[in-house]
Amino acid sequence: MCASYGYVRVSTREQNEDRQILALNEVRIPEENIFVDRQSGKDFGRPMYRQMVKKLRKEDLLYVKSIDRLGRNYEEILEQWRLLTKKKRVDIVVLDMPLLDTRRGKDLMGTFLSDVVLQILSFVAENERTNIRERQKEGIQAARIRGVQFGRPPKPLPDDFDQICTAWKEKKISGKEAAQKCGLATATFYRKVKKMGDLCRKTEG
């Protein structure tokens, strides 16, 4: 007797786990047959996915919310689709795209149309991710041009920074001691001194 499974994949940047699980519950996937992987963008090991694939048997049915849950990119999505449908001989239903339901059109024409739709959607999914990354990159560059600072804000200098610098320049204290008095790393202290000197020269010019 064939069994129904559901697969959910979310990254640490996504918050759509509940949405995917709700969609699987609506098609009555048993809770013990829903496999969830939570991962960072760099880690694509997917231990739960591998565990699920081992359990799948011929004519089992696998549901996913969207096609990009199967892989990170166009090639990987196609690879996993072929592994599941050709090697494992299971059916796949993509809930966001009713055309991608391998239970329909088991004849040659139906298989051909399903494969064509799959390749188009896989390409679109990867292209959209690429466009999102490019827009993010462009947005960050534009913000930097406007003077927006990213990362941790710089630590404020102590009120007596000028006096400490003077003492260091007059060799009354070492650079390390000066940095400690300012609450800075030694390299950061030297960088601040250089920056202040550059600003003074620009002002005088």
Side-chain angles (χ1 to χ4, degrees), residues 6 12 17 34 39-40 47 50 59 61 75 82 84 111-113 116 129 132 136 144 151 163 165 168 177 195 202:
T12 51
E17 176 182 332
I34 296 177
Q39 60 186 89
S40 67
R50 293 198 302 271
E59 296 184 358
L61 181 58
E75 289 81 10
R82 292 185 181 116
L84 295 167
T111 301
F112 170 75
L113 290 175
V116 169
R129 282 192 294 270
I132 289 172
Q136 289 173 338
R144 283 177 173 158
Q163 292 91 325
C165 285
W168 168 70
E177 290 173 321
K195 185 176 181 181
K202 286 180 181 179

Side-chain angles (χ1 to χ4, degrees), residues 23-140:
L24 295 175
N25 288 336
E26 288 177 355
V27 292
R28 301 183 182 278
I29 307 297
E31 184 178 347
E32 65 272 17
N33 286 358
I34 296 177
F35 292 78
V36 181
D37 275 315
R38 301 173 184 87
Q39 60 186 89
S40 67
K42 295 181 180 179
D43 176 23
F44 208 73
R46 300 200 294 173
M48 298 306 294
Y49 180 79
R50 293 198 302 271
Q51 183 177 326
M52 180 193 70
V53 170
K54 288 180 180 179
K55 289 177 68 72
L56 290 171
R57 296 293 180 264
K58 182 180 177 181
E59 296 184 358
D60 281 347
L61 181 58
L62 172 62
Y63 287 87
V64 291
K65 182 72 169 66
S66 57
I67 189 64
D68 60 355
R69 299 304 90 187
L70 289 179
R72 287 174 297 183
N73 53 47
Y74 175 71
E75 289 81 10
E76 191 161 39
I77 291 170
L78 291 176
E79 178 187 349
Q80 293 305 313
W81 185 275
R82 292 185 181 116
L83 166 70
L84 295 167
T85 60
K86 309 299 183 186
K87 187 174 180 180
K88 301 292 293 188
R89 304 289 296 276
V90 303
D91 280 314
I92 303 176
V93 176
V94 180
L95 296 172
D96 280 354
M97 178 53 63
L99 279 174
L100 286 178
D101 183 343
T102 60
R103 297 171 300 177
R104 302 167 56 184
K106 291 288 187 177
D107 58 6
L108 184 61
M109 180 57 69
T111 301
F112 170 75
L113 290 175
S114 179
D115 285 347
V116 169
V117 172
L118 168 68
Q119 292 196 40
I120 292 172
L121 290 176
S122 300
F123 173 78
V124 170
E126 181 182 6
N127 194 54
E128 179 60 20
R129 282 192 294 270
T130 301
N131 289 339
I132 289 172
R133 286 194 296 267
E134 189 61 31
R135 287 195 293 268
Q136 289 173 338
K137 182 179 177 182
E138 290 172 355
I140 290 171

Side-chain angles (χ1 to χ4, degrees), residues 155-158 161 176 178-190 192:
K155 189 173 182 177
L157 296 175
F161 181 73
K176 184 177 181 180
Q180 288 174 343
K181 288 178 179 293
C182 294
L184 302 170
T186 305
T188 304
F189 171 74
Y190 289 139
K192 296 287 186 183

